[in-house]
Amino acid sequence: MAYRPSLAPTMRRALCGAALAVSAAMSPLAVAQAAPDTARPDRPTLSLSAAATSEVAQDKVTITLANEIEGSDQAKLSQQLNQLLETTLAEAKRNTAVTARSGNYNVWANTDRNGRITTWRGRAELILESRDFGAASKLAGELSRQMAVSNVSFSLSREAREAEEQRLLAEAAKAFTTRATQAAKAFGFTGYAVKQLDLSGSGTVTPMPRAYAMAAPAMEAKAADLPLEGGKSSVSVSVRGTVYLQ
């Protein structure tokens, strides 16, 4: 039996489990004769595919905090913005349930109609990420005195995606063997033997109807008061392959 996986990086560790799932789901006849029969290279082959899909609740929240300041001196403005970001980041990192890192950082000039620089403006962002929605929301509220919430987004964590892909691999393998058995019988054959298998996976995000993005100056309520509820991500595993009909 030959397997040629075509996988995303997060699925490679699941290949051995998929191969076992495929073998376990095959009929005894198919398993016994899975190796190609070189004595009969002319026997017919059939290409087919099967897939398993599920929707999983997004378990990771990303909160973007931001602050903009304006001044006449570029160097002083940059120093003030750096100090603000450094202080806020240090406070955020004391919370072990939330991962904190710096985000976008920009300093630009404001000019008049003649192109002369009038003032300088800077913006710094702080990114909070966590699978603990309550802890992330509370921390964002505590930090809102220095940096206001500008955006909230949700996603499926790598751990949750890999776990779901592992589960779907067995479903996709079973669906493939069922389809191969039915196809063989439909064409008047007694069984089949696997020639080649290709596995692949994909994921999409089901959007939430409610928007969470907010402009920082308009944010007055604390982030802790926000109802943090993620949407769903669609996870799919596909099995494509070729079998010998016998």
Side-chain angles (χ1 to χ4, degrees):
M1 181 185 300
Y3 296 87
R4 190 181 64 188
S6 176
L7 305 174
T10 59
M11 294 178 59
R12 288 173 181 161
R13 293 190 297 273
L15 178 57
C16 291
L20 292 175
V22 172
S23 297
M26 291 180 182
S27 65
L29 177 61
V31 174
Q33 301 183 19
D37 184 1
T38 56
R40 296 189 55 191
D42 59 335
R43 58 180 172 169
T45 60
L46 176 67
S47 297
L48 65 158
S49 64
T53 304
S54 66
E55 296 216 337
V56 184
Q58 295 164 341
D59 63 338
K60 181 179 178 181
V61 62
T62 300
I63 303 177
T64 302
L65 307 178
N67 198 342
E68 290 187 14
I69 58 176
E70 189 172 359
S72 57
D73 187 286
Q74 180 186 8
K76 290 183 178 179
L77 182 142
S78 297
Q79 184 179 7
Q80 183 181 354
L81 200 61
N82 291 343
Q83 182 63 41
L84 172 65
L85 182 59
E86 182 180 350
T87 302
T88 309
L89 185 59
E91 182 179 349
K93 286 188 174 182
R94 288 198 291 266
N95 190 319
T96 58
V98 181
T99 300
R101 58 181 173 83
S102 57
N104 293 329
Y105 182 101
N106 302 98
V107 175
W108 66 93
N110 292 325
T111 58
D112 59 20
R113 65 178 62 185
N114 296 318
R116 292 190 296 265
I117 297 176
T118 56
T119 58
W120 292 88
R121 194 166 186 85
R123 174 185 169 91
E125 291 182 350
L126 179 66
I127 310 297
L128 305 178
E129 294 179 334
S130 180
R131 297 177 67 180
D132 187 334
F133 288 9
S137 178
K138 181 179 179 181
L139 179 59
E142 294 171 351
L143 299 178
S144 63
R145 297 185 301 272
Q146 296 91 358
M147 305 182 78
V149 174
S150 65
N151 188 69
V152 179
S153 62
F154 300 91
S155 61
L156 186 63
S157 67
R158 177 179 58 83
E159 296 82 0
R161 179 176 296 281
E162 288 183 349
E164 187 62 13
E165 286 174 344
Q166 287 274 14
R167 189 185 70 81
L168 291 176
L169 279 170
E171 287 189 14
K174 183 177 180 180
F176 181 90
T177 57
T178 299
R179 180 168 295 182
T181 300
Q182 293 174 345
K185 291 181 179 180
F187 287 101
F189 293 87
T190 59
Y192 71 94
V194 174
K195 177 183 178 183
Q196 175 182 310
L197 288 176
D198 294 315
L199 308 179
S200 62
S202 63
T204 58
V205 176
T206 303
M208 287 287 289
R210 177 178 178 181
Y212 282 89
M214 295 159 284
M219 183 57 187
E220 297 178 357
K222 288 186 177 181
D225 299 330
L226 289 174
L228 298 183
E229 182 180 357
K232 291 186 177 181
S233 291
S234 178
V235 181
S236 178
V237 173
S238 299
V239 181
R240 296 178 177 85
T242 302
V243 298
Y244 291 107
L245 298 177
Q246 53 194 26

